[in-house]
PDB file of all heavy atoms in Angstrom:
ATOM      1  N   ASP A1554      -1.689  15.162 -26.070  1.00  0.00           N
ATOM      2  CA  ASP A1554      -2.780  15.462 -26.994  1.00  0.00           C
ATOM      3  C   ASP A1554      -2.454  16.800 -27.647  1.00  0.00           C
ATOM      4  O   ASP A1554      -2.457  17.841 -27.000  1.00  0.00           O
ATOM      5  CB  ASP A1554      -4.097  15.547 -26.213  1.00  0.00           C
ATOM      6  CG  ASP A1554      -5.293  15.899 -27.096  1.00  0.00           C
ATOM      7  OD1 ASP A1554      -5.095  16.141 -28.304  1.00  0.00           O
ATOM      8  OD2 ASP A1554      -6.424  15.946 -26.572  1.00  0.00           O
ATOM      9  N   ARG A1559      -9.136  19.924 -27.655  1.00  0.00           N
ATOM     10  CA  ARG A1559      -8.829  18.834 -26.730  1.00  0.00           C
ATOM     11  C   ARG A1559      -9.863  17.717 -26.804  1.00  0.00           C
ATOM     12  O   ARG A1559     -11.066  17.959 -26.836  1.00  0.00           O
ATOM     13  CB  ARG A1559      -8.780  19.376 -25.296  1.00  0.00           C
ATOM     14  CG  ARG A1559      -8.406  18.348 -24.261  1.00  0.00           C
ATOM     15  CD  ARG A1559      -8.284  18.975 -22.892  1.00  0.00           C
ATOM     16  NE  ARG A1559      -7.712  18.042 -21.942  1.00  0.00           N
ATOM     17  CZ  ARG A1559      -7.301  18.384 -20.730  1.00  0.00           C
ATOM     18  NH1 ARG A1559      -7.391  19.647 -20.339  1.00  0.00           N
ATOM     19  NH2 ARG A1559      -6.794  17.485 -19.922  1.00  0.00           N
ATOM     20  N   ASP A1560      -9.375  16.491 -26.844  1.00  0.00           N
ATOM     21  CA  ASP A1560     -10.251  15.321 -26.850  1.00  0.00           C
ATOM     22  C   ASP A1560     -10.783  15.108 -25.425  1.00  0.00           C
ATOM     23  O   ASP A1560     -10.021  14.777 -24.519  1.00  0.00           O
ATOM     24  CB  ASP A1560      -9.445  14.087 -27.296  1.00  0.00           C
ATOM     25  CG  ASP A1560     -10.303  12.840 -27.428  1.00  0.00           C
ATOM     26  OD1 ASP A1560     -11.357  12.758 -26.775  1.00  0.00           O
ATOM     27  OD2 ASP A1560      -9.889  11.920 -28.167  1.00  0.00           O
ATOM     28  N   PRO A1561     -12.088  15.297 -25.187  1.00  0.00           N
ATOM     29  CA  PRO A1561     -12.616  15.191 -23.825  1.00  0.00           C
ATOM     30  C   PRO A1561     -12.505  13.787 -23.236  1.00  0.00           C
ATOM     31  O   PRO A1561     -12.456  13.625 -22.018  1.00  0.00           O
ATOM     32  CB  PRO A1561     -14.087  15.611 -23.982  1.00  0.00           C
ATOM     33  CG  PRO A1561     -14.413  15.326 -25.408  1.00  0.00           C
ATOM     34  CD  PRO A1561     -13.141  15.600 -26.163  1.00  0.00           C
ATOM     35  N   PHE A1562     -12.442  12.772 -24.104  1.00  0.00           N
ATOM     36  CA  PHE A1562     -12.360  11.403 -23.618  1.00  0.00           C
ATOM     37  C   PHE A1562     -10.939  11.021 -23.181  1.00  0.00           C
ATOM     38  O   PHE A1562     -10.737   9.999 -22.537  1.00  0.00           O
ATOM     39  CB  PHE A1562     -12.856  10.423 -24.686  1.00  0.00           C
ATOM     40  CG  PHE A1562     -14.305  10.625 -25.034  1.00  0.00           C
ATOM     41  CD1 PHE A1562     -14.660  11.286 -26.204  1.00  0.00           C
ATOM     42  CD2 PHE A1562     -15.308  10.189 -24.182  1.00  0.00           C
ATOM     43  CE1 PHE A1562     -16.001  11.489 -26.517  1.00  0.00           C
ATOM     44  CE2 PHE A1562     -16.647  10.392 -24.490  1.00  0.00           C
ATOM     45  CZ  PHE A1562     -16.990  11.046 -25.658  1.00  0.00           C
ATOM     46  N   MET A1563      -9.971  11.855 -23.552  1.00  0.00           N
ATOM     47  CA  MET A1563      -8.574  11.583 -23.201  1.00  0.00           C
ATOM     48  C   MET A1563      -8.042  12.565 -22.162  1.00  0.00           C
ATOM     49  O   MET A1563      -6.855  12.585 -21.877  1.00  0.00           O
ATOM     50  CB  MET A1563      -7.700  11.646 -24.457  1.00  0.00           C
ATOM     51  CG  MET A1563      -8.015  10.571 -25.480  1.00  0.00           C
ATOM     52  SD  MET A1563      -7.684   8.908 -24.850  1.00  0.00           S
ATOM     53  CE  MET A1563      -5.897   8.921 -24.866  1.00  0.00           C
ATOM     54  N   ARG A1564      -8.925  13.375 -21.583  1.00  0.00           N
ATOM     55  CA  ARG A1564      -8.469  14.436 -20.689  1.00  0.00           C
ATOM     56  C   ARG A1564      -7.747  13.917 -19.444  1.00  0.00           C
ATOM     57  O   ARG A1564      -6.935  14.632 -18.845  1.00  0.00           O
ATOM     58  CB  ARG A1564      -9.651  15.328 -20.286  1.00  0.00           C
ATOM     59  CG  ARG A1564     -10.659  14.667 -19.355  1.00  0.00           C
ATOM     60  CD  ARG A1564     -11.920  15.510 -19.207  1.00  0.00           C
ATOM     61  NE  ARG A1564     -12.830  14.971 -18.206  1.00  0.00           N
ATOM     62  CZ  ARG A1564     -13.653  13.957 -18.414  1.00  0.00           C
ATOM     63  NH1 ARG A1564     -13.660  13.353 -19.606  1.00  0.00           N
ATOM     64  NH2 ARG A1564     -14.457  13.529 -17.453  1.00  0.00           N
ATOM     65  N   LYS A1565      -8.041  12.669 -19.046  1.00  0.00           N
ATOM     66  CA  LYS A1565      -7.382  12.083 -17.874  1.00  0.00           C
ATOM     67  C   LYS A1565      -6.175  11.235 -18.244  1.00  0.00           C
ATOM     68  O   LYS A1565      -5.485  10.715 -17.370  1.00  0.00           O
ATOM     69  CB  LYS A1565      -8.372  11.208 -17.092  1.00  0.00           C
ATOM     70  CG  LYS A1565      -9.560  11.963 -16.515  1.00  0.00           C
ATOM     71  CD  LYS A1565     -10.495  10.997 -15.803  1.00  0.00           C
ATOM     72  CE  LYS A1565     -11.724  11.714 -15.262  1.00  0.00           C
ATOM     73  NZ  LYS A1565     -12.663  10.760 -14.609  1.00  0.00           N
ATOM     74  N   TYR A1566      -5.917  11.089 -19.554  1.00  0.00           N
ATOM     75  CA  TYR A1566      -4.890  10.148 -20.001  1.00  0.00           C
ATOM     76  C   TYR A1566      -3.916  10.745 -21.015  1.00  0.00           C
ATOM     77  O   TYR A1566      -3.123  10.015 -21.601  1.00  0.00           O
ATOM     78  CB  TYR A1566      -5.562   8.901 -20.594  1.00  0.00           C
ATOM     79  CG  TYR A1566      -6.652   8.369 -19.692  1.00  0.00           C
ATOM     80  CD1 TYR A1566      -7.987   8.542 -20.018  1.00  0.00           C
ATOM     81  CD2 TYR A1566      -6.332   7.755 -18.484  1.00  0.00           C
ATOM     82  CE1 TYR A1566      -8.993   8.093 -19.167  1.00  0.00           C
ATOM     83  CE2 TYR A1566      -7.329   7.312 -17.626  1.00  0.00           C
ATOM     84  CZ  TYR A1566      -8.657   7.480 -17.974  1.00  0.00           C
ATOM     85  OH  TYR A1566      -9.640   7.049 -17.118  1.00  0.00           O
ATOM     86  N   ALA A1567      -3.972  12.060 -21.211  1.00  0.00           N
ATOM     87  CA  ALA A1567      -3.038  12.729 -22.120  1.00  0.00           C
ATOM     88  C   ALA A1567      -2.930  14.196 -21.721  1.00  0.00           C
ATOM     89  O   ALA A1567      -3.919  14.822 -21.338  1.00  0.00           O
ATOM     90  CB  ALA A1567      -3.502  12.600 -23.569  1.00  0.00           C
ATOM     91  N   TYR A1568      -1.724  14.728 -21.814  1.00  0.00           N
ATOM     92  CA  TYR A1568      -1.464  16.132 -21.498  1.00  0.00           C
ATOM     93  C   TYR A1568      -1.764  16.966 -22.737  1.00  0.00           C
ATOM     94  O   TYR A1568      -1.149  16.772 -23.788  1.00  0.00           O
ATOM     95  CB  TYR A1568       0.000  16.272 -21.071  1.00  0.00           C
ATOM     96  CG  TYR A1568       0.483  17.680 -20.812  1.00  0.00           C
ATOM     97  CD1 TYR A1568      -0.340  18.657 -20.256  1.00  0.00           C
ATOM     98  CD2 TYR A1568       1.804  18.029 -21.122  1.00  0.00           C
ATOM     99  CE1 TYR A1568       0.118  19.938 -20.014  1.00  0.00           C
ATOM    100  CE2 TYR A1568       2.281  19.312 -20.877  1.00  0.00           C
ATOM    101  CZ  TYR A1568       1.428  20.258 -20.326  1.00  0.00           C
ATOM    102  OH  TYR A1568       1.903  21.528 -20.076  1.00  0.00           O
ATOM    103  N   HIS A1673      -1.004  12.839 -15.310  1.00  0.00           N
ATOM    104  CA  HIS A1673      -2.048  12.038 -15.950  1.00  0.00           C
ATOM    105  C   HIS A1673      -1.683  11.543 -17.345  1.00  0.00           C
ATOM    106  O   HIS A1673      -2.332  10.660 -17.886  1.00  0.00           O
ATOM    107  CB  HIS A1673      -3.376  12.810 -15.997  1.00  0.00           C
ATOM    108  CG  HIS A1673      -3.337  14.042 -16.842  1.00  0.00           C
ATOM    109  ND1 HIS A1673      -2.922  15.268 -16.347  1.00  0.00           N
ATOM    110  CD2 HIS A1673      -3.652  14.254 -18.139  1.00  0.00           C
ATOM    111  CE1 HIS A1673      -3.002  16.170 -17.302  1.00  0.00           C
ATOM    112  NE2 HIS A1673      -3.438  15.583 -18.409  1.00  0.00           N
TER     113      HIS A1673
END
Side-chain angles (χ1 to χ4, degrees):
D1554 178 357
R1559 183 176 189 169
D1560 184 335
F1562 297 102
M1563 295 296 287
R1564 70 190 187 280
K1565 297 178 182 178
Y1566 312 106
Y1568 175 35
H1673 64 273

